[in-house]
Amino acid sequence: MIHSLFLINHTGDIFLEKHWKSVIGRSVCDYFFEAREKAVEPENVPPVLQTPHHYLISIYRGKLFFLSVIQTEVPPLFVIEFLHRVADTIQDYFGECSEGVIKDNVVTVYELLEEMLDNGFPLATESNVLKEMIRPPTILRSVVNTLTGASNVGDTLPTGQLSNVPWRRVGVKYTNNEAYFDVIEEIDAILDKSGTTVFAEIQGVIEACVRLTGMPDLTLSFMNPRLLDDVSFHPCVRFKRWESERVLSFIPPDGNFTLMNYHVSSQNLVAIPVYVKQSISFFETGPCGRLDITIGPKQTMGKTVEGLMVTIHMPKAVLSANLTATQGTYTYDLATKVLVWDIGKLNPQKLPNLKGSLTTQAGTPKPEDNPSLNIDLKIQQLAISGLKVSRLDMYGEKYKPFKGVKYLTKAGKFQVRT
Amino acid sequence: MFVASVIIVFCLFLSAEKEAKTNYQMLDSNKDSLKLEAMKRIVAMIARGKNASDLFPAVVKNVACKNIEVKKLVYVYLVRYAEEQQDLALLSISTFQRGLKDPNQLIRASALRVLSSIRVTIIVPIMMLAIKEAASDMSPYVRKTAAHAIPKLYSLDPEQKDQLIEVIEKLLADKTTLVAGSVVMAFEEVCPERIDLIHKNYRKLCNLLIDVEEWGQVVIINMLTRYARTQTFYGSDEDEDEDEEEKEKKAETPAMAKRKPYVMDPDHRLLLRNTKPLLQSRNAAVVMAVAQLYFHLAPKAEVGVIAKALVRLLRSHSEVQYVVLQNVATMTIKRRGMFEPYLKSFYIRSTDPTQIKVLKLEVLTNLANETNISTILREFQTYIKSMDKDFVAATIQAIGRCATNIGEVRDTCLNGLVQLLSNRDELVVAESVVVIKKLLQMQPEKHSDIIKHMAKLTDNIQVPMARASILWLIGEYCEHVPKIAPDVLRKMAKSFTNEEDIVKLQIINLAAKLYLTNSKQTKLLTQYVLNLAKYDQNYDIRDRARFIRQLIVPTEKSGALSKYAKKLFLALKPAPVLESPFKDRDHFQLGSLSHLLNAKAGGYQELPDWPEAAPDPSVRNVEVKDSVRAVGTVTYRDTGALWDLQGPKKKCSFHANVYQPSLYNWALVSMTLHLVLCLQTIAPSSALKNYELLHRITGEGLSVEYCFSRQPFSPDANMVAVQMQFTNNATADTKNLHIEDVKLQSGMRVKEFSEIELLPAGETATAVMGIDFCDSTQAANFQLCTHTRKFFVSIQPPVGELMRPVFLTENEFKKEQGQLMGMNEITEKLTLDMKCRNEHTIVQRVTTAANLSRVPCGSDKECRFAGRTVSSSSLVLVTVATKEEGAAQLTVNCEKMVIGTMLVKDILLALTQ
């Protein structure tokens, strides 16, 4: 399956390589570099490349390329998912997945890769199993290790490996037992020039932070589970109970994890929290154009819209922007041609407005295309789909845990066409 | 300057030298911490791709180091360089051989892992031996490692194939989820053609699937797709397909037409049913695997379920989107209806990477039909304004395809495209020209004005492909534009030498066609162009010129062909069919690398066609005892099903509280699923004996009975569950029933039941408490308190209740028995009670006396039972061998001799009375 892995940074340096079968020379990456150059933007590199003797499958995460070398038929998604899992694990261990962090912990990363794959086939990818085999570095532990000579590597088989709940280890103990759930919803929408919704859906995720002693069995139920159109679960969730009763029944992993992803797609259910009035025009005569954007609240369910931000990728010909904002600040990056207007909190009494002129390069024809606006926003304490958790029950353990649910709505890929 | 650089290089050399030295010294030191430091440095070098092979002798010495981290790093080093330094690598082999016998399963497993990863041919026999041994190891983890080692050995020495297949066969029969994925992986790499090995394991794999780890699921599902195609006959319902032509073709084939209405093979149904929940997996690869399985195997009416899940994946990372969209594109060609409801999910955002945009466009085009075309075209219009020019070009082609496929919108599209001809961007114009050319070919007579418009463009447009297209159009339809055509040729003749090759060829072409239709005006021009071409640098153009001159200008040498020149050049040409590049890609298994590349990748296994007739389904039958188990296997994620089995009488909350969680704890402790089944089927079957705890007279109206419920006790798996039944026979209510003042032998523990606040007169209540008897029959003494009185009571367990059933196969049983000989074995001869001479009663009596489970057995002269003690999990094995005339021999093997002796007494009593 997966033959080798190369980690490549933004500038094209290979800073880590790992081979699970015979060694494959670095020169195989040249095909990748060629494609990388052709693609201009790193996001545009095709994830699957064919070379005379190998296939290259890569992902781009955190300004790094994870490039794997394949020799025989394998489902490409298998490799892509696995590479993302590697990146997730690194992030989980060290807090972020960047070149610096990997270089600082190169031996640990290497040991992790060794455990995650055997002969190119995944062996242990569950974070709790890995953490028992290779303990994540902490300052305290490294001090203890230097004093006592203990090591970061476990010498017994993690209990999770053998059980059929591999995501949870036995013997978990906490003095404060707590279970918190964050219901986060993102609105994906495309609005057209006149403000009508072309497409809208809600992508939701329930992030959990569970610190409970022992082997608790949790049941999370919703007031209105029928809202959810399509769902995907962490392996701990029991399918059958969801199918028959629409409750989430599970033995949770220890710590932070994504319990479930869901999808609300029926368009009439998707409330659009803000409206945008905009006009961006370029004049035939003279190198200039006008821009006028106003944002106001639409369906906010009585909550305040915060963290409002508008991002516009301007046409290449736009040289500078001379604008005034009634609220917040704007910046225009000359190199990338990105205009960012950071508004902050939306005040329904006094609508924020950004107005002014744009200078285009003299001598070039007026840009034909109008840029689209990407909106960012946040609404605290609201799940825009109306989803509500009704209760959390715990079985199997006797203590009373602290429980909490938080709701948050964000703009996902929220785009206004002009 | 030169001197300076030499010094610098020298210094670098020195420091490198020094580092190497210190690494050597550190590896030789006695301190583990120094060794560790050195190994870390060396591994960091390997990670960076630097050569560290010269340290091999120093490193290999440390292979037996006590420090586990040093050891692991040495392994890493060894695996990396063993191939290069084979002789030295052999020094380490004995250490691994020792490791293979270690009592710690992790050490056994990692020894096998490293041993099998060392690519040194000389140790092949050792590897083979180690793999065979590990394949029957106690620990499923070691067996999993053995499965991983199989492809390693196979790639090192393919000659071992036959022996390896034997091991694979053995491991395929393994019943743990841990092994399943890995062994199927090995199967796929070593012997994918031996589909017959799967027969007996098919149902088991289907049933275990949901609990296998994600990666194993992908491999198993892909393999089962292929298996189902060869084995379970399912008349595909392609006749219902939208493709009209195919339908007709099929109707002609008599065999197809006569096909009987088909009832789906239950095995086929099993596969579909058991994979469906996995569409909800968080792992995109699993979702894709299930989706392709449904696409290739499910009846048309059921394929629809995968659309939703695939659309969900479009929210994932862009690489995932890329692969999913490729597959969706192929699916939409065959099954358009499936994705139509999700049309809008494929709308393009300006922030999508170009490759994603192009794929989405492909899907949108495939989805276009009469009803939604207007929405799609409106959407396309916004895309044309995009800043991403490659994407705009793709959109124009998409419009062209929509126009060819859907007649109603052809004119609208054409007009739209003509408007694009005045676009400022040359690429856009060029692309439009090419597409318009193709569209015009369908009905040229209606559109001479468009052709005229395009003729004008030749002055401005520079893109060669577009120029060539325009020239071809004018030549082809010169009759529609008789005035303009010669003028275009005149201009072109002027610029001929500066044109690109494809344009030159089209100029020659145009000249020839005009010469044939309008020789009066263009004779000289044609001559001129042909002369220019005659001396062109490109030989293709020179060839073409010579060839055309011979054809169109009749000389005495030219043969009969020139008579037909007009027919040759101006024959009616069929309009091009614009079709999707994804057409017919579904002959590759979806989701595969080969499908994505549209080329067969190495090791790709063809997806076979459905067999013409149904193969014998009985090959999948397993001996009864096994199949019962397979069907009844209760898995973690399936457990919701138990709810239904239990019937509606009991309230769910009760289950959730007492029964359900316990299941998992058990599963955890026992590490096998089968146990759960045993609990399900065996425990409730034997009648539970009730014991009295408190008589109603001593209890002043309160009577308490208890029984050993033989259910696992959920809060603590090491406790025996005792179910108590309180009956209030008095006239007044009893309140606050609880336990106090527990007096226990050391080591024993009690988990009290939660207080019963109120027991009204005449009512009955039950509660469950757990007692850890520490595998002894010592009584647990405590006080049972009500709001008024306290009663001293005690519970003493019969030895048979101190165990729980475990499931063993016959082989496992024999193996375990072999390890519990000598002191641990107690044998008694007995004469069976008259009523107890058939197998059924023996089983019943033994299971009533002790909480054990039956072990399948080949001989009918023997009954075997197995269990483990609840507290210490020591194995208890019981054999009853019957002989002539009621004579029998009872054997108990148990590590705990006291338990063994007592159990022999109890069973003896049960069988003789």
Side-chain angles (χ1 to χ4, degrees):
Chain A
M1 290 219 146
I2 297 169
H3 211 296
S4 301
L5 174 73
F6 294 95
L7 297 192
I8 299 167
N9 69 8
H10 208 53
T11 52
D13 292 329
I14 303 169
F15 65 93
L16 191 144
E17 61 178 76
K18 170 97 185 95
H19 308 274
W20 284 275
K21 301 184 183 185
S22 317
V23 178
I24 291 178
R26 287 179 167 212
S27 56
V28 75
C29 297
D30 292 347
Y31 296 98
F32 173 79
F33 293 132
E34 207 175 290
R36 163 77 184 82
E37 219 145 274
K38 221 189 274 171
V40 189
E41 294 294 316
E43 289 86 5
N44 285 348
V45 182
V48 183
L49 293 170
Q50 191 174 9
T51 76
H53 300 291
H54 304 94
Y55 306 98
L56 307 177
I57 299 184
S58 61
I59 63 159
Y60 183 64
R61 269 278 288 265
K63 298 200 168 159
L64 298 178
F65 285 103
F66 290 69
L67 176 75
S68 62
V69 184
I70 311 293
Q71 269 188 323
T72 50
E73 169 67 48
V74 56
L77 268 186
F78 185 99
V79 182
I80 289 170
E81 272 285 330
F82 177 78
L83 294 177
H84 277 295
R85 201 62 68 84
V86 171
D88 289 342
T89 307
I90 293 174
Q91 196 158 5
D92 190 31
Y93 261 74
F94 312 113
E96 62 168 329
C97 177
S98 67
E99 186 184 355
V101 157
I102 295 173
K103 277 185 170 166
D104 289 347
N105 299 287
V106 67
V107 176
T108 315
V109 172
Y110 210 76
E111 285 172 333
L112 276 174
L113 291 173
E114 181 76 22
E115 287 305 330
M116 290 181 84
L117 276 186
D118 181 16
N119 195 35
F121 189 74
L123 187 63
T125 51
E126 272 307 328
S127 129
N128 96 76
V129 169
L130 284 171
K131 280 186 178 163
E132 270 184 75
M133 291 210 254
I134 300 154
R135 297 182 190 101
T138 59
I139 294 170
L140 179 68
R141 188 166 298 135
S142 58
V143 171
V144 170
N145 285 352
T146 33
L147 292 177
T148 63
S151 82
N152 274 332
V153 177
D155 58 356
T156 47
L157 186 69
T159 46
Q161 266 293 18
L162 288 177
S163 79
N164 57 345
V165 279
W167 52 86
R168 190 173 181 91
R169 61 195 169 92
V170 290
V172 181
K173 273 211 177 74
Y174 286 104
T175 40
N176 292 325
N177 289 294
E178 39 192 26
Y180 298 117
F181 295 88
D182 289 356
V183 179
I184 303 166
E185 298 198 333
E186 294 193 355
I187 309 169
D188 282 2
I190 304 177
L191 307 184
D192 74 2
K193 210 171 188 167
S194 57
T196 29
T197 312
V198 177
F199 166 73
E201 62 179 16
I202 296 170
Q203 301 286 347
V205 56
I206 300 183
E207 298 281 0
C209 172
V210 177
R211 296 173 194 284
L212 296 175
T213 306
M215 198 54 77
D217 195 334
L218 303 180
T219 305
L220 186 76
S221 41
F222 299 101
M223 306 271 262
N224 39 8
R226 304 274 155 205
L227 266 180
L228 309 179
D229 218 29
D230 183 36
V231 286
S232 69
F233 300 123
H234 188 276
C236 69
V237 177
R238 299 182 181 108
F239 289 131
K240 285 279 161 61
R241 290 211 57 195
W242 172 256
E243 263 170 37
S244 57
E245 295 166 62
R246 298 272 150 179
V247 295
L248 298 177
S249 158
F250 56 99
I251 293 177
D254 187 32
N256 297 320
F257 64 100
T258 304
L259 179 62
M260 146 193 214
N261 283 289
Y262 61 88
H263 187 101
V264 178
S265 68
S266 35
Q267 235 178 74
N268 42 9
L269 282 176
V270 181
I272 304 292
V274 293
Y275 70 84
V276 181
K277 268 195 207 157
Q278 42 79 22
S279 84
I280 301 174
S281 51
F282 298 99
F283 303 128
E284 282 296 350
T285 54
C288 60
R290 289 194 53 77
L291 177 144
D292 188 343
I293 304 171
T294 311
I295 298 188
K298 205 171 167 188
Q299 295 158 287
T300 58
M301 320 282 175
K303 307 271 185 191
T304 329
V305 177
E306 299 168 23
L308 199 57
M309 190 149 86
V310 180
T311 312
I312 311 171
H313 290 262
M314 285 292 182
K316 295 268 179 295
V318 176
L319 279 184
S320 65
N322 185 13
L323 309 166
T324 41
T326 59
Q327 187 187 338
T329 52
Y330 81 92
T331 50
Y332 183 63
D333 186 335
L334 289 174
T336 54
K337 309 281 180 198
V338 176
L339 177 72
V340 179
W341 178 26
D342 192 346
I343 303 167
K345 211 178 255 180
L346 180 66
N347 179 3
Q349 270 75 49
K350 197 168 157 286
L351 299 181
N353 169 272
L354 181 73
K355 201 167 161 181
S357 62
L358 303 166
T359 325
T360 55
Q361 208 166 350
T364 53
K366 82 161 188 151
E368 282 218 37
D369 30 48
N370 273 340
S372 52
L373 280 58
N374 292 299
I375 314 271
D376 250 328
L377 56 85
K378 244 187 228 165
I379 307 173
Q380 302 280 1
Q381 290 310 319
L382 172 74
I384 198 103
S385 68
L387 185 76
K388 274 231 150 63
V389 173
S390 74
R391 54 182 299 155
L392 176 75
D393 299 305
M394 185 178 76
Y395 305 104
E397 296 289 337
K398 290 289 178 250
Y399 53 83
K400 282 238 153 49
F402 295 104
K403 303 181 259 191
V405 178
K406 217 166 72 184
Y407 299 92
L408 176 67
T409 295
K410 291 198 278 192
K413 295 173 178 171
F414 194 109
Q415 201 161 81
V416 183
R417 290 175 175 166
T418 58
Chain B
M1 189 63 201
F2 174 74
V3 174
S5 63
V6 165
I7 289 171
I8 288 167
V9 168
F10 187 67
C11 286
L12 282 175
F13 177 75
L14 271 185
S15 68
E17 186 83 318
K18 196 173 148 201
E19 191 176 81
K21 271 242 173 78
T22 50
N23 276 342
Y24 257 117
Q25 285 159 359
M26 284 160 85
L27 285 170
D28 277 342
S29 86
N30 294 324
K31 277 191 190 160
D32 278 354
S33 59
L34 279 180
K35 284 182 182 172
L36 183 61
E37 187 52 40
M39 278 319 295
K40 279 188 170 171
R41 278 197 220 165
I42 294 166
V43 167
M45 276 168 76
I46 296 175
R48 284 198 303 268
K50 295 206 175 121
N51 187 6
S53 60
D54 51 341
L55 290 161
F56 201 96
V59 174
V60 82
K61 265 191 290 188
N62 289 306
V63 73
C65 177
K66 288 276 179 300
N67 182 308
I68 187 104
E69 192 167 9
V70 173
K71 202 170 189 166
K72 276 204 165 176
L73 293 174
V74 172
Y75 287 179
V76 167
Y77 182 92
L78 204 57
V79 171
R80 171 69 179 74
Y81 287 113
E83 214 171 359
E84 296 172 22
Q85 313 234 359
Q86 306 215 347
D87 294 346
L88 283 169
L90 292 179
L91 294 176
S92 63
I93 302 299
S94 62
T95 316
F96 299 124
Q97 282 178 305
R98 229 175 300 132
L100 288 170
K101 301 251 169 354
D102 198 282
N104 182 335
Q105 51 181 338
L106 184 65
I107 294 183
R108 287 203 301 279
S110 59
L112 178 62
R113 241 187 103 181
V114 182
L115 183 68
S116 56
S117 300
I118 295 176
R119 287 169 290 272
V120 178
T121 359
I122 205 162
I123 62 162
V124 165
I126 299 176
M127 275 162 79
M128 193 69 227
L129 212 66
I131 289 174
K132 277 186 178 165
E133 206 146 285
S136 36
D137 197 283
M138 293 266 288
S139 154
Y141 184 71
V142 177
R143 297 203 295 276
K144 185 188 177 75
T145 318
H148 281 244
I150 292 170
K152 295 185 206 169
L153 179 52
Y154 179 64
S155 69
L156 190 63
D157 182 10
E159 305 245 308
Q160 306 291 326
K161 185 168 175 177
D162 292 338
Q163 287 197 58
L164 286 174
I165 290 178
E166 276 170 37
V167 183
I168 289 176
E169 196 171 358
K170 182 179 173 140
L171 285 172
L172 273 173
D174 204 295
K175 285 171 193 73
T176 48
T177 48
L178 199 61
V179 182
S182 304
V183 67
V184 172
M185 179 67 222
F187 169 84
E188 290 284 74
E189 286 206 9
V190 178
C191 52
E193 72 285 350
R194 286 291 303 276
I195 213 92
D196 55 294
L197 294 180
I198 304 299
H199 292 325
K200 293 259 180 254
N201 301 299
Y202 173 82
R203 289 174 196 162
K204 182 195 70 194
L205 284 174
C206 287
N207 283 315
L208 287 185
L209 190 59
I210 201 160
D211 268 0
V212 175
E213 35 82 42
E214 304 154 276
W215 313 105
Q217 283 173 348
V218 178
V219 179
I220 295 176
I221 294 172
N222 279 325
M223 187 275 289
L224 288 180
T225 310
R226 226 175 59 236
Y227 178 84
R229 266 294 182 95
T230 58
Q231 293 304 321
T232 55
F233 170 68
Y234 164 64
S236 68
D237 49 358
E238 294 201 355
D239 347 18
E240 293 168 45
D241 262 353
E242 288 129 68
D243 202 328
E244 291 283 317
E245 282 181 352
E246 244 175 75
K247 199 171 171 181
E248 279 166 1
K249 251 190 254 163
K250 289 251 166 81
E252 284 163 21
T253 328
M256 292 284 200
K258 273 187 214 154
R259 190 193 295 140
K260 279 179 253 156
Y262 175 73
V263 185
M264 190 184 282
D265 185 311
D267 283 327
H268 193 126
R269 178 49 71 200
L270 176 74
L271 178 60
L272 291 177
R273 195 178 52 230
N274 284 3
T275 46
K276 194 175 166 189
L278 295 176
L279 281 174
Q280 250 87 59
S281 172
R282 64 167 168 177
N283 187 319
V286 177
V287 177
M288 190 66 231
V290 179
Q292 65 83 25
L293 181 129
Y294 262 71
F295 183 80
H296 290 300
L297 299 181
K300 200 183 169 198
E302 289 171 43
V303 182
V305 294
I306 65 173
K308 202 185 253 183
L310 288 177
V311 168
R312 182 185 70 229
L313 297 185
L314 295 181
R315 267 287 294 199
S316 192
H317 302 287
S318 79
E319 297 88 6
V320 175
Q321 282 184 47
Y322 175 77
V323 179
V324 171
L325 282 169
Q326 296 253 2
N327 288 291
V328 170
T330 307
M331 290 184 193
T332 46
I333 289 175
K334 198 115 183 245
R335 303 260 155 90
R336 183 203 290 157
M338 196 161 92
F339 287 96
E340 255 178 38
Y342 305 100
L343 183 73
K344 291 189 170 175
S345 303
F346 300 100
Y347 280 8
I348 293 155
R349 294 185 168 78
S350 57
T351 41
D352 287 332
T354 310
Q355 50 203 342
I356 300 290
K357 285 181 183 162
V358 173
L359 282 169
K360 280 187 175 175
L361 206 57
E362 175 67 37
V363 173
L364 285 174
T365 316
N366 290 343
L367 289 180
N369 61 16
E370 285 82 359
T371 47
N372 59 21
I373 184 69
S374 56
T375 348
I376 292 183
L377 280 182
R378 205 172 322 127
E379 191 60 23
F380 282 178
Q381 262 165 15
T382 53
Y383 300 163
I384 283 171
K385 289 184 212 142
S386 164
M387 281 180 249
D388 185 343
K389 291 305 165 207
D390 292 332
F391 169 52
V392 175
T395 308
I396 293 169
Q397 282 179 6
I399 294 175
R401 261 177 53 202
C402 287
T404 43
N405 297 339
I406 301 161
E408 285 91 337
V409 291
R410 197 167 295 152
D411 288 346
T412 332
C413 289
L414 205 50
N415 287 337
L417 290 171
V418 170
Q419 274 167 30
L420 284 181
L421 292 177
S422 50
N423 193 294
R424 271 209 202 83
D425 193 281
E426 201 184 4
L427 265 173
V428 175
V429 180
E431 202 64 45
S432 313
V433 168
V434 176
V435 174
I436 290 174
K437 177 204 131 191
K438 289 178 182 163
L439 284 182
L440 284 184
Q441 242 181 302
M442 293 183 166
Q443 29 187 192
E445 56 291 333
K446 276 166 73 185
H447 299 293
S448 54
D449 51 331
I450 296 179
I451 300 175
K452 274 179 209 153
H453 182 84
M454 290 174 74
K456 281 182 208 147
L457 283 175
T458 46
D459 294 341
N460 304 320
I461 202 160
Q462 293 305 323
V463 178
M465 190 60 210
R467 286 175 81 85
S469 292
I470 296 174
L471 293 175
W472 183 89
L473 259 183
I474 294 171
E476 190 66 22
Y477 306 115
C478 49
E479 284 150 28
H480 301 290
V481 284
K483 290 201 177 127
I484 297 173
D487 197 47
V488 173
L489 182 61
R490 181 183 61 80
K491 282 187 193 156
M492 287 299 132
K494 216 154 107 188
S495 62
F496 185 88
T497 45
N498 300 324
E499 298 290 351
E500 286 278 331
D501 289 346
I502 46 166
V503 185
K504 282 178 183 169
L505 287 174
Q506 286 309 326
I507 296 173
I508 300 170
N509 206 352
L510 172 66
K513 283 173 183 169
L514 285 179
Y515 182 86
L516 291 171
T517 51
N518 185 3
S519 59
K520 210 163 47 175
Q521 269 184 301
T522 56
K523 193 173 177 183
L524 283 172
L525 269 173
T526 308
Q527 293 282 2
Y528 176 68
V529 168
L530 288 175
N531 281 336
L532 282 177
K534 192 176 170 184
Y535 299 106
D536 199 89
Q537 282 184 333
N538 186 306
Y539 45 77
D540 278 340
I541 293 169
R542 294 199 300 272
D543 268 3
R544 180 71 63 88
R546 192 151 9 122
F547 154 72
I548 282 179
R549 193 193 293 271
Q550 288 299 320
L551 258 180
I552 59 173
V553 190
T555 58
E556 61 264 28
K557 271 189 209 160
S558 66
L561 262 183
S562 59
K563 273 186 233 159
Y564 302 104
K566 195 163 182 178
K567 274 192 183 152
L568 283 174
F569 278 101
L570 293 168
L572 204 61
K573 294 167 185 77
V577 187
L578 300 179
E579 59 184 19
S580 164
F582 287 88
K583 196 168 187 285
D584 289 335
R585 261 206 211 178
D586 62 331
H587 65 269
F588 287 114
Q589 187 170 3
L590 264 77
S592 66
L593 183 63
S594 305
H595 167 266
L596 191 121
L597 299 168
N598 201 16
K600 212 164 159 182
Y604 172 75
Q605 296 291 320
E606 290 283 353
L607 198 60
D609 285 327
W610 293 104
E612 280 292 312
D616 181 16
S618 67
V619 291
R620 284 181 294 280
N621 288 354
V622 199
E623 285 162 59
V624 180
K625 56 191 181 206
D626 273 1
S627 67
V628 168
R629 187 183 328 137
V631 172
T633 308
V634 178
T635 59
Y636 172 83
R637 305 194 72 186
D638 248 348
T639 38
L642 285 177
W643 254 240
D644 311 328
L645 292 176
Q646 293 291 323
K649 270 185 238 156
K650 296 186 182 177
K651 273 187 79 179
C652 279
S653 62
F654 168 75
H655 277 289
N657 214 345
V658 180
Y659 186 63
Q660 188 68 4
S662 60
L663 218 63
Y664 310 127
N665 287 341
W666 268 85
L668 256 179
V669 175
S670 69
M671 294 157 189
T672 52
L673 303 164
H674 311 297
L675 177 60
V676 181
L677 172 75
C678 302
L679 291 172
Q680 281 296 297
T681 54
I682 295 163
S685 67
S686 49
L688 300 173
K689 196 174 166 194
N690 275 327
Y691 304 86
E692 186 166 77
L693 190 65
L694 188 64
H695 192 263
R696 80 186 148 90
I697 296 176
T698 26
E700 294 171 358
L702 178 72
S703 74
V704 185
E705 287 193 321
Y706 68 93
C707 67
F708 297 92
S709 67
R710 296 193 171 182
Q711 302 281 3
F713 187 64
S714 61
D716 187 333
N718 289 336
M719 289 191 177
V720 177
V722 182
Q723 190 175 331
M724 304 202 178
Q725 187 166 28
F726 306 90
T727 315
N728 188 357
N729 300 310
T731 42
D733 294 354
T734 304
K735 288 179 195 156
N736 301 44
L737 260 173
H738 64 279
I739 288 174
E740 252 179 37
D741 198 16
V742 185
K743 288 208 178 72
L744 299 170
Q745 300 290 325
S746 70
M748 282 167 65
R749 292 172 302 138
V750 160
K751 181 100 180 169
E752 296 154 19
F753 58 89
S754 48
E755 186 179 282
I756 298 175
E757 283 175 8
L758 178 71
L759 186 63
E763 297 277 302
T764 305
T766 48
V768 179
M769 66 183 289
I771 306 175
D772 181 356
F773 289 104
C774 280
D775 292 348
S776 76
T777 48
Q778 307 268 19
N781 302 310
F782 52 90
Q783 287 182 359
L784 190 65
C785 310
T786 67
H787 61 301
T788 50
R789 285 288 313 265
K790 292 182 177 180
F791 309 101
F792 286 94
V793 291
S794 77
I795 294 178
Q796 186 171 19
V799 65
E801 302 297 342
L802 295 176
M803 46 203 69
R804 54 181 168 78
V806 291
F807 200 97
L808 296 181
T809 61
E810 192 172 353
N811 286 340
E812 284 165 342
F813 185 93
K814 281 184 180 157
K815 196 173 157 199
E816 296 292 350
Q817 199 176 26
Q819 287 172 354
L820 290 169
M821 301 301 271
M823 298 276 281
N824 295 324
E825 187 175 82
I826 304 163
T827 314
E828 284 283 344
K829 292 220 164 70
L830 65 147
T831 317
L832 290 171
D833 181 31
M834 281 307 283
K835 289 178 213 152
C836 180
R837 293 216 170 147
N838 62 7
E839 193 189 327
H840 180 73
T841 7
I842 294 176
V843 172
Q844 205 180 5
R845 290 202 184 184
V846 173
T847 48
T848 317
N851 190 13
L852 298 171
S853 82
R854 177 91 191 271
V855 174
C857 167
S859 125
D860 54 354
K861 290 261 185 277
E862 264 190 14
C863 297
R864 297 184 182 137
F865 306 88
R868 278 182 190 278
T869 59
V870 172
S871 302
S872 61
S873 282
S874 324
L875 213 53
V876 182
L877 306 174
V878 175
T879 317
V880 181
T882 51
K883 288 171 193 150
E884 308 291 298
E885 288 168 32
Q889 183 172 323
L890 170 69
T891 313
V892 173
N893 302 70
C894 180
E895 208 175 299
K896 303 222 159 184
M897 280 181 285
V898 183
I899 297 263
T901 328
M902 283 170 33
L903 192 63
V904 167
K905 266 188 214 160
D906 278 13
I907 296 177
L908 214 59
L909 210 65
L911 290 176
T912 48
Q913 286 186 356

